[in-house]
Amino acid sequence: AQTVTQSQPEMSVQEAETVTLSCTYDTSESNYYLFWYKQPPSRQMILVIRQEAYKQQNATENRFSVNFQKAAKSFSLKISDSQLGDTAMYFCAFMNYGGSQGNLIFGKGTKLSVKP
Amino acid sequence: GAVVSQHPSWVICKSGTSVKIECRSLDFQATTMFWYRQFPKQSLMLMATSNEGSKATYEQGVEKDKFLINHASLTLSTLTVTSAHPEDSSFYICSAYFFGLAGSASTDTQYFGPGTRLTVL
């Protein structure tokens, strides 16, 4: 069974600085998707970034980028120029590729605080 | 991005009553919808998976007779908490999953509703 591990329960960063959130996963599959979701205090789950395992290029979305290391089964999220609105819980998630069900397996989350 | 609505956003009810929560995908047709429960400071716990026109698949430990799921169309799923008790108080979140040709939503991605806070007195 697949598992997702986020080893940093809490992190903090100064506004405008860069922070990296860690995520590792375990799977025997070769094709899959990885996601980072953000859950701010409003508790709305927001998709931050999505990576397809068969793509070698790391995904980027504005200030958010990932470092996807397939062999190491690592999928870290880098937030550049941190903003106060980035304060949230961040969940790393895994999805098998090609399935019609689309089940997500979540990590336990990392609480990020951006300080002014 | 795709939009998923959830209604109501919060509800307070008396013990023993039933509560219905609606989940709608507004700008895409969802092949599958998911229902989650989230306890404070914890990750999301999957309760059930539903496909339009089919019976829902419940996760181990989730009472199917207490948490009734109806998936009436490709854009609407409902969760009914029957005979609610204080221990059912929680934050419930739905998501809609799109699989296939790309449209306004990214394929093979779950999009989440804003959640429903249920308090049972």
Side-chain angles (χ1 to χ4, degrees), chain A residues 33 35 37 39 42-45 47 50 89 91 95 97-104 106-109 111, chain B residues 31-32 34 36 38-39 42-44 46 49 51 91 93 97 99 106-114 117:
Chain A
Y33 299 100
F35 304 84
Y37 284 92
Q39 188 178 40
S42 67
R43 302 189 77 173
Q44 166 79 62
M45 291 284 285
L47 176 65
R50 174 177 176 269
M89 280 290 289
F91 293 100
M95 180 191 291
Y97 175 80
S100 60
Q101 288 295 313
N103 287 49
L104 280 171
F106 286 97
K108 292 187 175 181
K111 183 179 180 181
Chain B
T31 48
T32 305
F34 300 85
Y36 296 88
Q38 187 180 33
F39 294 101
Q42 293 189 22
S43 189
L44 279 67
L46 180 65
T49 304
N51 294 293
F91 190 67
I93 307 175
Y97 170 69
F99 173 74
S106 293
T107 186
D108 297 344
T109 300
Q110 284 192 29
Y111 293 93
F112 288 83
R117 184 179 302 280

Side-chain angles (χ1 to χ4, degrees), chain A:
Chain A
Q2 291 89 358
T3 58
V4 176
T5 302
Q6 293 178 250
S7 59
Q8 305 150 316
E10 293 191 36
M11 294 188 72
S12 65
V13 63
Q14 290 296 129
E15 195 175 7
E17 297 294 308
T18 295
V19 64
T20 299
L21 308 183
S22 300
C23 173
T24 58
Y25 59 94
D26 189 26
T27 183
S28 58
E29 303 292 333
S30 58
N31 289 326
Y32 46 87
Y33 299 100
L34 294 164
F35 304 84
W36 278 98
Y37 284 92
K38 164 186 176 181
Q39 188 178 40
S42 67
R43 302 189 77 173
Q44 166 79 62
M45 291 284 285
I46 300 166
L47 176 65
V48 175
I49 204 162
R50 174 177 176 269
Q51 175 79 44
E52 296 156 345
Y54 57 87
K55 289 187 176 179
Q56 292 185 337
Q57 186 174 7
N58 289 326
T60 62
E61 285 290 340
N62 301 312
R63 298 182 294 107
F64 299 88
S65 61
V66 296
N67 183 5
F68 173 48
Q69 300 290 326
K70 192 172 183 179
K73 296 180 182 174
S74 171
F75 183 62
S76 60
L77 175 69
K78 186 172 83 171
I79 306 174
S80 304
D81 186 25
S82 297
Q83 300 176 0
L84 296 178
D86 294 333
T87 293
M89 280 290 289
Y90 286 81
F91 293 100
C92 179
F94 172 99
M95 180 191 291
N96 274 317
Y97 175 80
S100 60
Q101 288 295 313
N103 287 49
L104 280 171
I105 299 167
F106 286 97
K108 292 187 175 181
T110 295
K111 183 179 180 181
L112 177 68
S113 299
V114 180
K115 301 184 184 304

